[in-house]
Amino acid sequence: MKAAQLLADYTNHPAFRELCRAAKQMLREGLDPATVRRQIAAQYGEPPVELRLRTQPQPLTIIGAHLIEPGAIEQMQTALRLPPAIRGALMPGAHQGYALPVGGVIAYDRAVAPYQVGVDIGCRMHLSIFADMTPDEAHRDCQHLLDTLTKVTVFGIGSPKKPVADHPILADPRWRATKLLRELHDLATYQIGTSGGGNHFAEIVVGEWLDTHRTFVGLLTHSGSRGVGAKIANYYATLADRETAAIAKGIPKTYGWLGTDTEAGQEYLLAMRLAGDFARANHEVIHARFTRAAGVAVERVIEHHHNFAWEQPDGTVIHRKGATPADAGTYGLIPGSMATASYIVEGLGEPTSLASASHGAGRRFSRSEARRTITPAMAAAVVREAGVLVRGLAVDESPLAYKDIETVMELQVAAGLIRPVARMRPLVVVMSGSGGED
């Protein structure tokens, strides 16, 4: 056996970096390859067979298959053929995305796939329920609320010309953990408290608790980790594709993964969690600004990520790309569109859906299709008829481009994923006014 063949045999091993370092050191010390192989096998196990796509995908649960385009199901089935895949689920709001469909949930064995978390890491919902504003007051002051909401954040790509806020997340020591994070700290400083484009929004909602029929007013926001998360995602997705190509054959580009016990996998998980905390901080800044400007107090906050990977005690990693965590007893938020209802829900922990639910109504068709088929007049008429004040209306975010939220909710209730606990309607909405990625 030659030394080169010995090292090549071990490149499929999940700990191949550590293993190859050990093998190279033994070879430098003068041990022959056959002896090195025996010693490495005793410590790490024999090299595995070559990794390839599975012939058949792992189990997949689909909620509301009739609402989901075939391309999204095909994307899910490709991901479920990857060697670390365990099982997956598709929510009724699902539609095609990048690698994994938006609305896709997948469990991997000790592996994390950056593009299956999503580019906007930690994209999330955040609701502040006000203690001292009634629906009547909100309706009376809706124009003032719209003006105030417009002032508290910047939507769209890019950054303000100077930092606009401060937050403890900017002093987090994790920004010094890697070269990439050190480079991204300045970007975080400029983008803190801002919002993305596309389907990201801030809206004043009027809601009702379904058990008590008590009404409330709140601020509901949807945004993520901005350029910070995008740069982390792209960097580690490229690395994952390269690392996967070294240990497996025939894996499509963008479907690469990182072992959670590897140095690269641990780096990504740290960066992902920091991006998620940065996303939370963006919402906290926006909500704090609004409550100060509007002179209201907050009595309750409900929030959650929907582009994230959650490590389980047994090593399983659950990726939710555009899906709401719905563990038993946890509260989540499922928005509709700028002229339809949103819901507060309680998760029921359904195992076949990997304790997940939809992150929203989901798109009926792509942004380009929406721009071809929906006119500005059509989009404006829908929100006007719903009695909603909108600033930053784009045709590709019109309610006409979205599935029916009531149907999506009914399917999830029937499947035992969630229990609706409150229903909300938008009163004023602020968006970027331009399209973007889902």
Side-chain angles (χ1 to χ4, degrees):
M1 175 185 291
K2 295 182 179 179
Q5 181 60 51
L6 169 74
L7 297 177
D9 285 346
Y10 277 108
T11 58
N12 284 347
H13 198 287
F16 75 95
R17 283 183 170 177
E18 179 184 353
L19 183 149
C20 286
R21 281 196 295 267
K24 288 176 181 178
Q25 180 60 35
M26 292 180 189
L27 291 169
R28 283 195 294 268
E29 291 171 356
L31 295 180
D32 64 274
T35 301
V36 170
R37 185 184 185 95
R38 286 195 298 272
Q39 292 194 17
I40 291 292
Q43 184 173 353
Y44 295 95
E46 289 292 336
V49 297
E50 187 173 71
L51 298 177
R52 292 183 179 273
L53 283 175
R54 300 171 190 265
T55 305
Q56 295 295 325
Q58 294 288 77
L60 172 62
T61 297
I62 304 177
I63 311 298
H66 62 288
L67 295 182
I68 302 172
E69 60 200 322
I73 296 174
E74 290 170 11
Q75 285 186 317
M76 201 73 207
Q77 289 173 334
T78 297
L80 285 166
R81 291 176 61 203
L82 298 178
I86 299 172
R87 68 171 300 117
L90 268 177
M91 303 300 107
H95 56 89
Q96 282 184 262
Y98 200 59
L100 201 69
V102 176
V105 185
I106 195 164
Y108 284 154
D109 180 20
R110 290 166 293 179
V112 62
Y115 272 152
Q116 296 179 44
V117 168
V119 174
D120 192 6
I121 298 171
C123 188
R124 67 197 331 267
M125 301 300 304
H126 191 117
L127 171 68
S128 292
I129 297 175
F130 305 141
D132 45 8
M133 182 183 292
T134 68
D136 285 345
E137 291 170 334
H139 279 93
R140 185 190 64 213
D141 298 333
C142 60
Q143 185 62 53
H144 174 67
L145 292 173
L146 178 63
D147 293 338
T148 304
L149 196 54
T150 302
K151 294 175 183 176
V152 299
T153 187
V154 176
F155 283 90
I157 61 173
S159 307
K161 294 181 179 179
K162 61 181 181 179
V164 295
D166 195 11
H167 189 280
I169 191 65
L170 298 175
D172 193 300
R174 288 174 293 177
W175 293 108
R176 300 191 295 274
T178 67
K179 180 176 181 291
L180 175 63
L181 292 178
R182 289 192 292 273
E183 292 172 348
L184 290 177
H185 185 262
D186 280 350
L187 180 60
T189 300
Y190 281 90
Q191 290 195 332
I192 187 79
T194 65
S195 303
N199 61 353
H200 295 159
F201 62 78
E203 62 186 35
I204 301 299
V205 295
V206 174
E208 179 183 20
W209 296 102
L210 300 179
D211 55 351
T212 65
H213 301 291
R214 186 170 64 89
T215 58
F216 62 87
V217 179
L219 169 60
L220 180 66
T221 52
H222 174 216
S223 193
S225 52
R226 309 288 280 112
V228 170
K231 290 181 183 298
I232 290 170
N234 290 325
Y235 176 87
Y236 283 100
T238 300
L239 178 60
D241 277 343
R242 187 165 66 243
E243 301 259 321
T244 298
I247 64 170
K249 303 298 181 185
I251 307 299
K253 192 175 181 182
T254 74
Y255 283 86
W257 69 87
L258 300 167
T260 54
D261 55 357
T262 67
E263 181 180 352
Q266 287 294 309
E267 270 190 17
Y268 172 74
L269 288 171
L270 181 146
M272 179 199 70
R273 291 168 185 145
L274 177 59
D277 290 343
F278 177 67
R280 178 184 291 111
N282 286 332
H283 288 263
E284 290 173 348
V285 168
I286 294 165
H287 285 241
R289 282 190 192 135
F290 179 84
T291 54
R292 283 197 302 270
V296 294
V298 174
E299 71 174 24
R300 185 171 185 178
V301 171
I302 299 171
E303 56 177 332
H304 63 80
H305 294 325
H306 50 230
N307 279 10
F308 211 67
W310 286 260
E311 282 189 283
Q312 308 302 302
D314 64 356
T316 300
V317 182
I318 296 178
H319 302 62
R320 294 186 178 98
K321 184 181 181 185
T324 297
D327 296 294
T330 62
Y331 274 21
L333 300 157
I334 300 181
S337 69
M338 66 176 69
T340 60
S342 296
Y343 285 87
I344 302 174
V345 300
E346 179 185 6
L348 301 180
E350 170 55 40
T352 60
S353 74
L354 293 168
S356 304
S358 170
H359 92 311
R363 300 191 67 85
R364 291 174 54 213
F365 38 71
S366 69
R367 294 184 182 282
S368 57
E369 171 101 11
R371 288 189 279 266
R372 282 196 303 271
T373 58
I374 302 171
T375 67
M378 290 165 63
V382 172
V383 295
R384 184 171 60 250
E385 290 168 9
V388 182
L389 290 180
V390 179
R391 189 161 290 163
L393 172 62
V395 295
D396 52 12
E397 281 302 319
S398 164
L400 297 170
Y402 280 84
K403 300 175 186 178
D404 175 44
I405 185 63
E406 305 304 336
T407 300
V408 168
M409 291 296 296
E410 288 168 7
L411 287 166
Q412 295 181 97
V413 170
L417 311 190
I418 51 166
R419 180 180 70 88
V421 296
R423 188 174 188 270
M424 303 173 287
R425 295 283 301 189
L427 181 63
V428 301
V429 178
V430 180
M431 303 185 77
S432 70
S434 60
E437 296 301 321
D438 293 325

